[in-house]
Amino acid sequence: MESGKKMQENRKPGEAGETKAELGIYIHIPFCVRKCAYCDFLSTPASEAVWEQYVQALLSEIESKNAGKKDRIVTSIFFGGGTPSLLDVTQTERILSALRREFVLSPEAEITTEANPGTLDLEKLAAYRRMGFNRLSIGAQSFDDELLRTLGRIHTAADFRACYAWARQAGFKNINIDLMAALPGQTREGFCAALKEAVALAPEHLSVYSLIVEEGTPFYDRYEDDVLLREQGKLPVYLPDEEAERGMYADAEALLGAAGYGHYEISNYAKPGFVCRHNDNCWLRKEYVGFGIGAASLYEECRFTNHRNLERYVQGDFTPESREVLSLREQMEETMFLGLRRTTGVSAADFARTFGVDMREIYGRQLEKYETEGLLMICDGQIFLTERGRDLANYVMEGFLEE
């Protein structure tokens, strides 16, 4: 687990010897070439003129919201989307330069950008390295061209392989590959083949996500009545059932574990030393601030989310859509349901140290219930999900929410 040093006791901000608290930064780039058939993320195709308007608005938001944050040290920056790699290199560099001007960055900060094959070449990847990106997250999703077409992806498996080779040539030594499971018509054997191909490339990190059919997407219209359509013989390609999906996750656990990847979060695997710092810090409830439409923040125990209106944003309206100061009980809830995503779980000692109360006084009933059901394990003061608990993670985590 990557974590920062604790603030030294009895020191005021600015005093000699103080260790600054960590801060993460998220930058949302909402543009894409076209929406994938399964995608419900905040993303949209747009003209290059709109890209530039958005970048200028981002720079303004960064400058307007840095107040009071220079007593933090930025240990991670994450460009997500959408497709951040769609922007022109100079636009990306302007954003990164603004962050360096307005915040205090650690020399060892993890700086990640998501990228889609089909939007990258060697020249752009080399430029990313020169401007300071040291981690790349590539959305492969599958190595099967037919499945990629079904998903509505703009790239082929050959495009991904070329992109990965360019990334290594450009000097990236920390690469994540995104893979999807439980895709339409995907077999367990086909998913295993994708895992093996990914492992053969030796990325430092792998994210494995199941397809979720979200309302409002083309996939929802296509698969919401999966069972009925199957009975009527009208659905030529079926979604894998729950048993097949669980088998795919079991295969991922076995294959990636044997290849030296640690399973550190429900959907994420990393070689030693390559846990995604930005995401892990979010699960640990460390502070982060988000810029761009729809971007979320956690700062001084307040959660706020930017509005999602692109037109308002490029006109300079950065008013949050929501703002909530978290109660002590809500902080405890988040500690449990976010921490349980991590395979090391939640430390009872850390919980007591943070909140001044024994975890069993607050959650004794839930701990006993889920331990009895075989969904939680308690070992040496750590509370974590069992393998079966990970299959039923949403059910378990809901139990820690105040009724």
Side-chain angles (χ1 to χ4, degrees):
M1 180 182 72
E2 300 177 53
S3 61
K5 298 177 182 178
K6 288 184 64 178
M7 294 282 286
Q8 292 184 24
E9 295 181 1
N10 302 318
R11 298 221 182 251
K12 296 178 182 178
E15 288 186 347
E18 175 193 5
T19 301
K20 292 185 177 183
E22 294 183 11
L23 181 70
I25 291 176
Y26 174 77
I27 302 292
H28 188 70
I29 306 298
F31 307 120
C32 55
V33 176
R34 67 165 183 254
K35 292 281 281 189
C36 296
Y38 61 89
C39 179
D40 74 328
F41 297 153
L42 182 54
S43 62
T44 183
S47 68
E48 292 185 14
V50 174
W51 299 356
E52 177 58 25
Q53 291 174 346
Y54 186 82
V55 169
Q56 291 186 23
L58 261 177
L59 300 180
S60 296
E61 187 190 9
I62 289 167
E63 291 173 2
S64 69
K65 292 186 177 179
N66 68 344
K69 297 182 178 65
K70 289 199 174 181
D71 63 345
R72 309 294 202 269
I73 185 162
V74 175
T75 57
S76 68
I77 298 173
F78 196 102
F79 282 59
T83 306
S85 54
L86 202 57
L87 292 184
D88 182 85
V89 164
T90 58
Q91 293 172 322
T92 303
E93 189 164 23
R94 284 158 57 201
I95 298 168
L96 203 52
S97 295
L99 294 175
R100 288 196 169 98
R101 281 195 310 273
E102 302 299 332
F103 295 89
V104 180
L105 269 63
S106 165
E108 292 81 35
E110 174 192 272
I111 306 177
T112 304
T113 185
E114 293 181 333
N116 283 356
T119 65
L120 290 172
D121 55 29
L122 178 56
E123 183 179 1
K124 180 176 278 191
L125 286 161
Y128 284 164
R129 285 294 296 124
R130 286 195 299 271
M131 70 179 75
F133 285 97
N134 50 29
R135 187 174 184 273
L136 186 68
S137 181
I138 311 175
Q141 316 310 353
S142 174
F143 300 116
D144 182 317
D145 284 342
E146 183 176 348
L147 283 178
L148 291 171
R149 285 191 293 271
T150 299
L151 291 171
R153 302 291 291 178
I154 65 168
H155 74 277
T156 64
D159 292 332
F160 168 81
R161 295 183 190 107
C163 172
Y164 188 89
W166 289 330
R168 290 302 196 198
Q169 189 176 342
F172 278 95
K173 297 179 180 178
N174 189 355
I175 299 177
N176 169 65
I177 295 176
D178 281 347
L179 287 179
M180 295 182 72
L183 299 176
Q186 186 180 47
T187 64
R188 189 168 169 179
E189 292 74 21
F191 179 66
C192 277
L195 286 170
K196 290 175 181 177
E197 179 161 355
V199 166
L201 291 169
E204 287 68 33
H205 192 284
L206 277 156
S207 298
V208 180
Y209 300 99
S210 284
L211 171 68
I212 299 176
V213 180
E214 300 283 7
E215 191 169 356
T217 66
F219 266 23
Y220 184 83
D221 297 335
R222 193 180 306 171
Y223 294 112
E224 64 169 326
D225 296 322
D226 190 9
V227 175
L228 176 62
L229 291 172
R230 188 181 306 191
E231 289 174 352
Q232 295 174 348
K234 296 179 180 178
L235 194 64
V237 179
Y238 307 133
L239 293 172
D241 58 25
E242 289 185 6
E243 182 178 351
E245 183 177 352
R246 283 195 296 271
M248 291 178 189
Y249 268 86
D251 292 338
E253 178 93 21
L255 284 169
L256 297 180
Y261 293 88
H263 189 186
Y264 72 95
E265 190 271 342
I266 288 176
S267 301
N268 287 279
Y269 301 78
K271 289 184 177 179
F274 289 96
V275 165
C276 177
R277 185 184 304 164
H278 186 82
N279 287 341
D280 203 40
N281 285 350
C282 290
W283 297 316
L284 289 166
R285 299 192 70 255
K286 294 188 178 181
E287 291 182 324
Y288 58 93
V289 290
F291 298 99
I293 58 172
S297 303
L298 172 64
Y299 191 74
E300 295 182 340
E301 295 304 345
C302 177
R303 286 201 178 274
F304 46 96
T305 305
N306 286 356
H307 68 75
R308 300 166 64 90
N309 188 300
L310 179 60
E311 185 176 352
R312 281 173 51 198
Y313 186 82
V314 298
Q315 291 173 355
D317 181 357
F318 310 134
T319 308
E321 179 180 77
S322 63
R323 185 178 186 279
E324 179 187 11
V325 178
L326 299 175
S327 67
L328 189 63
R329 182 58 182 252
E330 287 169 331
Q331 294 171 40
M332 292 179 184
E333 291 174 356
E334 289 192 355
T335 296
M336 297 305 295
F337 70 73
L338 290 174
L340 285 172
R341 292 192 62 88
R342 305 171 73 248
T343 53
T344 54
V346 181
S347 163
D350 286 348
F351 187 96
R353 189 160 40 246
T354 301
F355 300 112
V357 64
D358 189 282
M359 185 188 291
R360 287 192 178 275
E361 287 187 34
I362 308 297
Y363 295 117
R365 177 179 59 82
Q366 292 93 327
L367 295 175
E368 182 178 355
K369 170 182 168 64
Y370 296 132
E371 189 176 21
T372 301
E373 293 177 359
L375 304 177
L376 280 182
M377 282 191 68
I378 303 174
C379 181
D380 295 330
Q382 290 292 129
I383 294 87
F384 52 92
L385 295 173
T386 63
E387 183 176 342
R388 181 166 176 265
R390 289 198 292 271
D391 287 339
L392 300 172
N394 289 339
Y395 162 70
V396 176
M397 291 170 187
E398 285 174 5
F400 291 94
L401 299 177
E402 192 168 24
E403 298 175 357

